[in-house]
């Protein structure tokens, strides 16, 4: 995924993705760190690295999920790694990629004063389970907090609600829908 500055396209993409008009291009430093972090995350998915996938989840989302489920954060991480590993044993993921282009960024500040930079990446992959292969297209929420990028799939109202509890500014964002079709 090569990130380039394309102001006009960024404005068009921001309107299509439901990003605020104040969306901006990533700085070169943000683009570089996002590119590296996204590549690492997508490699973890491609390799079935459950610990790597869970490590990329935003800590605030884990805190909210843990509180809602009554599981301590330490135990929650362990349980999520186990569940992700079990999924990876029954489903093969391949051709994992992020779309080329310039994702636009949004800026937010949380109630505790923490600044957050966020973006939506378009990802695609093929999943195969029980002999059936599906081509998938999914938005991937990228959040930079404390200088580190985290990733979260937002696939519908329930996952959006969970994300918005941790990051209230996301409640007003229209995420592009996930889609899938049989793979050849």
């Amino acid at each position: 995924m090569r990130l380039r500055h394309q102001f006009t396209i960024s404005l068009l993409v921001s309107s299509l993705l439901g990003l605020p008009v104040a969306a901006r291009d990533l700085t070169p430093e943000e683009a570089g760190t996002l590119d590296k972090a996204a590549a690492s995350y997508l490699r973890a998915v491609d390799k079935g690295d459950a610990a790597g996938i869970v490590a990329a989840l935003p800590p605030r989302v884990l805190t909210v999920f843990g509180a809602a489920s009554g599981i301590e954060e330490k135990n929650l991480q362990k349980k999520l790694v186990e569940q992700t590993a079990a999924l990876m044993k029954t489903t093969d993921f391949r051709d994992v990629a992020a779309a080329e282009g310039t994702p636009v960024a949004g800026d937010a500040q949380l109630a505790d004063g923490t600044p957050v930079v966020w973006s939506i990446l378009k990802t695609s992959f093929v999943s195969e389970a029980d002999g059936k292969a599906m081509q998938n297209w999914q938005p991937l929420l990228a959040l930079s907090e404390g200088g580190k990028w985290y990733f979260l799939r937002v696939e519908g109202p329930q996952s959006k609600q969970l994300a918005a509890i941790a990051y209230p500014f996301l409640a007003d964002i229209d995420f592009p829908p996930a889609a899938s079709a049989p793979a050849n």
Side-chain angles (χ1 to χ4, degrees):
M1 173 174 57
R2 261 216 155 77
L3 305 173
R4 292 165 275 176
H5 293 286
Q6 298 173 349
F7 183 71
T8 305
I9 292 175
S10 295
L11 287 177
L12 175 63
V13 170
S14 69
S15 66
L16 293 174
L17 293 180
L19 299 176
V21 176
R24 62 170 177 83
D25 289 335
L26 292 166
T27 67
E29 181 180 347
E30 289 169 336
T33 58
L34 174 56
D35 189 40
K36 185 177 178 181
S40 178
Y41 173 77
L42 295 174
R43 265 192 313 276
V45 172
D46 191 47
K47 292 180 178 182
D49 176 6
I53 294 167
V54 172
L57 292 171
R60 288 179 192 266
V61 170
L62 292 174
T63 299
V64 168
F65 186 72
S69 62
I71 303 173
E72 293 179 20
E73 188 172 337
K74 178 180 150 185
N75 293 334
L76 176 63
Q77 290 230 353
K78 181 180 176 186
K79 184 140 185 92
L80 287 173
V81 169
E82 289 170 357
Q83 289 176 347
T84 303
L87 171 67
M88 295 300 191
K89 286 181 182 177
T90 62
T91 306
D92 178 44
F93 293 89
R94 64 179 187 275
D95 303 328
V96 180
E100 296 266 341
T102 306
V104 293
D107 292 296
Q109 187 167 349
L110 300 175
D112 66 4
T114 302
V116 177
V117 176
W118 62 274
S119 187
I120 299 173
L121 306 177
K122 295 177 184 179
T123 64
S124 63
F125 58 90
V126 174
S127 61
E128 187 170 346
D130 299 324
K132 293 183 180 183
M134 297 294 289
Q135 175 67 55
N136 300 275
W137 299 273
Q138 288 187 341
L140 181 65
L141 175 63
L143 297 153
S144 177
E145 186 176 347
K148 183 175 178 186
W149 286 98
Y150 299 97
F151 301 97
L152 183 66
R153 292 182 318 172
V154 180
E155 303 179 282
Q158 189 174 24
S159 61
K160 181 180 177 180
Q161 182 180 21
L162 175 66
I165 292 169
Y167 298 95
F169 61 89
L170 295 174
D172 297 328
I173 305 303
D174 291 324
F175 290 91
S180 62
N184 292 331

